[in-house]
Amino acid sequence: TKVYFKPDDQIFTELEYDYTTLATRLRELSFLNKGVTISLKDEREGKEKEETFHAKGGLKEFVGFLNAKQKPLHPEILYLEGEKDDIGIELALQYNDGYNENVFSFVNNINTHEGGTHLTGFKSALTSVINKHLDKSSFAKKDKEVKLSGDDAREGLTCVLSIKVPDPKFSSQTKDKLVSSEVRPVVESILGKTLAQW
């Protein structure tokens, strides 16, 4: 498939494309659609550049790319996928020795910068699974008061959550936040079960 696009000077004031912005988005799309090859070529005079993006490992490679400058706490990047009620879920995560939370969420390849019901479902499942695991540990038996908050559970976490939803509902035209209420219990259920097994 080839897609050609050109800005209409009747509508847009900025007609100059930023190569880095396009490269970042196309790299992201290659991670979200494993096995797809995307080529970007800048043919403008003096700016000639070409890149090809291909991620055979999909989200696992995405997390590896995001964690490249970090020190992972476990060598294997956890990858989970599942489907329920026509909602497809993919997740890859890895903890590092940093303190920052680095979580990205997508709906039908759209970056939901403000998260939404899918991200809430993931966060709830992760915190619940870690606390249940902690309750069974010898550490918790010594100190019954130990409970981790969601922020504690996500400290040093690099994660990419991608879901496919047939008819998503967003909070605004810019699609920054998913508000489809049926998504949260599905994400929470599938990820809760598979994270517990991990």
Side-chain angles (χ1 to χ4, degrees):
T1 302
K2 288 187 179 182
V3 178
Y4 294 90
F5 55 97
K6 191 175 179 181
D8 186 337
D9 60 7
Q10 301 290 311
I11 297 169
F12 298 101
T13 51
E14 180 58 59
L15 305 178
E16 184 81 14
Y17 285 115
D18 180 39
Y19 182 90
T20 307
T21 301
L22 290 172
T24 300
R25 177 61 179 147
L26 295 177
R27 182 182 295 109
E28 197 174 78
L29 284 170
S30 75
F31 286 132
L32 292 166
N33 301 281
K34 60 182 167 193
V36 172
T37 301
I38 303 172
S39 297
L40 173 63
K41 187 175 183 182
D42 193 339
E43 296 178 338
R44 295 174 291 187
E45 201 172 311
K47 295 186 178 184
E48 293 86 357
K49 192 173 183 179
E50 188 171 0
E51 279 182 274
T52 299
F53 306 104
H54 179 84
K56 199 174 179 180
L59 296 190
K60 278 180 91 168
E61 280 188 43
F62 199 171
V63 168
F65 175 79
L66 294 169
N67 251 357
K69 294 180 181 170
Q70 304 294 333
K71 184 182 175 190
L73 294 181
H74 48 98
E76 184 68 25
I77 294 170
L78 174 67
Y79 175 77
L80 311 168
E81 66 180 325
E83 188 177 331
K84 185 178 176 185
D85 301 334
D86 291 330
I87 298 170
I89 301 165
E90 263 191 287
L91 174 86
L93 66 81
Q94 185 180 46
Y95 282 92
N96 61 60
D97 65 352
Y99 295 101
N100 296 328
E101 172 188 336
N102 203 9
V103 177
F104 295 91
S105 63
F106 296 86
V107 175
N108 299 346
N109 290 338
I110 299 163
N111 191 339
T112 48
H113 298 284
E114 293 178 22
T117 52
H118 57 318
L119 191 56
T120 304
F122 160 69
K123 288 178 176 181
S124 175
L126 180 70
T127 307
S128 173
V129 164
I130 289 176
N131 274 317
K132 281 178 187 168
H133 184 69
L134 185 63
D135 286 343
K136 294 175 187 171
S137 73
S138 57
F139 181 74
K141 288 172 186 160
K142 291 176 193 167
D143 188 351
K144 297 280 183 199
E145 299 298 310
V146 175
K147 281 283 180 215
L148 291 180
S149 70
D151 289 338
D152 294 329
R154 294 186 307 276
E155 187 176 293
L157 175 67
T158 298
C159 171
V160 179
L161 170 66
S162 176
I163 67 164
K164 302 286 192 268
V165 186
D167 186 25
K169 291 166 191 68
F170 296 97
S171 63
S172 67
Q173 192 84 24
T174 54
K175 300 181 180 179
D176 286 336
K177 186 175 183 180
L178 181 73
V179 293
S180 302
S181 58
E182 72 278 7
V183 171
R184 179 181 174 166
V186 171
V187 171
E188 210 166 333
S189 156
I190 289 175
L191 294 184
K193 188 179 176 183
T194 47
L195 282 168
Q197 289 169 351
W198 180 63

